[in-house]
């Protein structure tokens, strides 16, 4: 039986006359990474704020870690951690002091707080910088410390709101690995909002696309890519004779006479690819090589979303 870490049903939220969330339904399986995509103003941050008890929904039901957000906010807060778009690190404190401060805020006993701080400094590879002021940290180190502070209370669910904004590619990939490890080794559920489509593609078990308050698509990255037309298979032939025979066999397909290639529409799935190769084999046509081209998440994002002028 599937256990859901997050469940929403008919979630609605408006600011004045602007509807930001318009009856959102979704389920997030425990112990997975779920990514929410959408343009500015789509309602991503508002959704995180509702699920993390920072603001109230106008209507609908939201359950986080098995608790109703409206009726049991304290139980929800005890089960979650939130890392926002901007680092919550105090630059005047050392990395270790930031963690100890968080432990004090969570009312951990002093010995337990120090033990937890040591564990997290090791986990997030910050031991060497533990006694240095956080103001001296690089952007990637500050984000790692920020996430480590979120982990002090050992949350079951972590909301990451655009966590790698402003990071260089190396730091971004390092943080990705930390996020994967939290899920794989500690069973944490990650709810990730991001505008880096590669990030969602690399990390998420499932992805939802939010557009003007509505979920317009949900699925794995591969399932979403198949929603967008434009996929094709490029067949390359060794000689003119094979190229011409294949063209006659396959019918009206796009051709490149100079490169001796045919572009056959298809989603790149196993069934369609096998059928195509069987047709060529039945006609005794040899293919030199082939490439499968499928739409990426950029294509999905552009096809399914529009920009809202008044962002929130």
């Amino acid at each position: 039986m599937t256990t859901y870490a997050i469940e929403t049903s008919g979630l609605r939220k408006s600011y004045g006359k602007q509807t930001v969330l318009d009856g959102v339904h979704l389920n997030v399986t425990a112990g997975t990474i779920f990514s929410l995509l959408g343009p500015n103003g789509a309602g991503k941050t508002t959704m995180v704020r509702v699920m993390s008890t920072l603001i109230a929904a106008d209507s609908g039901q939201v359950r986080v870690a098995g608790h109703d957000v409206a009726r049991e906010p304290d139980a929800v807060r005890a089960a979650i951690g939130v890392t926002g778009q901007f680092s919550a690190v105090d630059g005047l404190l050392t990395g270790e002091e930031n963690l100890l401060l968080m432990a004090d805020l969570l009312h951990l006993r002093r010995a337990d707080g120090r033990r937890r701080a040591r564990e997290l400094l090791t986990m997030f590879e910050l031991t060497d910088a533990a006694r240095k002021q956080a103001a001296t940290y690089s952007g990637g180190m500050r984000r790692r410390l920020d996430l480590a502070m979120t982990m002090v209370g050992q949350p079951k669910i972590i909301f990451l709101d655009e966590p790698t904004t402003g990071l260089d590619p190396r730091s971004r990939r390092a943080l990705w690995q930390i996020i994967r490890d939290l899920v794989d080794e500690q069973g944490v559920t990650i709810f990730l909002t991001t505008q880096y489509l590669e990030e969602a593609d690399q990390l998420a078990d499932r992805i939802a696309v939010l557009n003007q308050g509505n979920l317009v698509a949900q699925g794995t990255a591969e399932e979403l890519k198949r929603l967008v037309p434009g996929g094709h298979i490029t067949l390359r032939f060794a000689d003119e004779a094979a190229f011409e025979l294949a063209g006659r066999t396959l019918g009206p397909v796009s051709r490149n006479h100079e490169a001796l290639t045919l572009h056959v529409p298809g989603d790149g799935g196993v069934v369609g690819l096998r059928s195509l190769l069987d047709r060529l084999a039945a006609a005794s046509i040899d293919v030199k090589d082939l490439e499968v081209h499928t739409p990426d998440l950029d294509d999905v994002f552009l096809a399914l979303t529009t920009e809202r002028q008044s962002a929130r």
Side-chain angles (χ1 to χ4, degrees):
M1 182 177 177
T2 302
T3 301
Y4 294 119
I6 300 170
E7 303 168 82
T8 75
S9 176
L11 173 58
R12 288 183 168 81
K13 180 66 179 177
S14 298
Y15 294 100
K17 295 182 179 180
Q18 179 176 314
T19 300
V20 181
L21 298 173
D22 191 10
V24 176
H25 301 264
L26 67 79
N27 297 316
V28 178
T29 303
T32 65
I33 301 175
F34 185 95
S35 182
L36 185 65
L37 302 180
N40 291 331
K44 302 187 301 299
T45 297
T46 295
M47 196 162 174
V48 170
R49 288 174 176 169
V50 170
M51 292 188 294
S52 57
T53 76
L54 294 177
I55 59 174
D58 295 334
S59 61
Q61 288 190 323
V62 182
R63 294 184 67 83
V64 176
H67 303 288
D68 186 279
V69 167
R71 294 198 296 267
E72 306 169 275
D74 289 341
V76 171
R77 292 175 193 134
I80 68 172
V82 181
T83 300
Q85 297 179 30
F86 305 103
S87 174
V89 170
D90 188 329
L92 297 179
L93 300 180
T94 67
E96 182 179 44
E97 288 169 343
N98 271 282
L99 293 171
L100 293 174
L101 173 61
M102 183 58 67
D104 288 342
L105 292 173
L106 293 171
H107 306 294
L108 270 64
R109 293 189 305 174
R110 183 171 295 275
D112 292 337
R114 291 191 177 281
R115 175 183 53 78
R116 186 63 178 153
R118 287 195 300 270
E119 291 174 351
L120 292 169
L121 288 167
T122 300
M123 182 188 303
F124 288 86
E125 299 182 355
L126 292 168
T127 303
D128 291 343
R131 303 295 176 87
K132 297 178 181 178
Q133 278 191 323
T136 67
Y137 286 13
S138 67
M141 291 172 66
R142 288 175 67 89
R143 293 306 280 174
R144 296 207 306 273
L145 178 58
D146 199 21
L147 186 51
M149 291 170 65
T150 301
M151 289 297 298
V152 169
Q154 297 181 295
K156 298 176 182 177
I157 301 164
I158 298 178
F159 294 99
L160 297 180
D161 193 10
E162 301 188 18
T164 62
T165 298
L167 296 187
D168 62 79
R170 187 182 301 278
S171 297
R172 184 176 300 130
R173 290 182 181 275
L175 193 58
W176 289 354
Q177 189 56 54
I178 289 172
I179 292 169
R180 293 189 189 100
D181 291 343
L182 289 175
V183 175
D184 295 340
E185 298 174 9
Q186 301 192 33
V188 174
T189 302
I190 301 290
F191 189 98
L192 169 73
T193 72
T194 181
Q195 298 213 38
Y196 294 114
L197 302 186
E198 182 192 9
E199 186 161 89
D201 205 351
Q202 289 284 333
L203 290 177
D205 297 294
R206 289 185 65 80
I207 298 169
V209 182
L210 188 65
N211 184 56
Q212 296 198 3
N214 296 285
L215 286 183
V216 293
Q218 292 189 62
T220 65
E222 292 307 314
E223 288 169 345
L224 293 183
K225 291 171 188 177
R226 293 194 185 107
L227 296 176
V228 179
H232 65 273
I233 300 164
T234 298
L235 303 171
R236 183 172 287 101
F237 301 91
D239 54 60
E240 183 80 22
F243 170 74
E244 292 294 341
L245 179 56
R248 292 193 297 272
T249 301
L250 299 177
V253 295
S254 177
R255 307 184 181 201
N256 185 325
H257 290 272
E258 292 184 2
L260 297 180
T261 58
L262 301 178
H263 303 287
V264 184
D267 64 4
V270 173
V271 174
L273 186 57
R274 182 182 295 122
S275 175
L276 173 62
L277 294 177
D278 286 346
R279 289 177 65 190
L280 294 170
S284 300
I285 302 171
D286 291 327
V287 179
K288 182 179 179 181
D289 59 53
L290 63 84
E291 296 177 7
V292 177
H293 303 263
T294 57
D296 58 22
L297 282 183
D298 284 23
D299 299 314
V300 175
F301 187 88
L302 293 172
L304 298 179
T305 65
T306 54
E307 189 76 21
R308 172 174 264 161
Q309 294 302 312
S310 179
R312 182 180 289 270

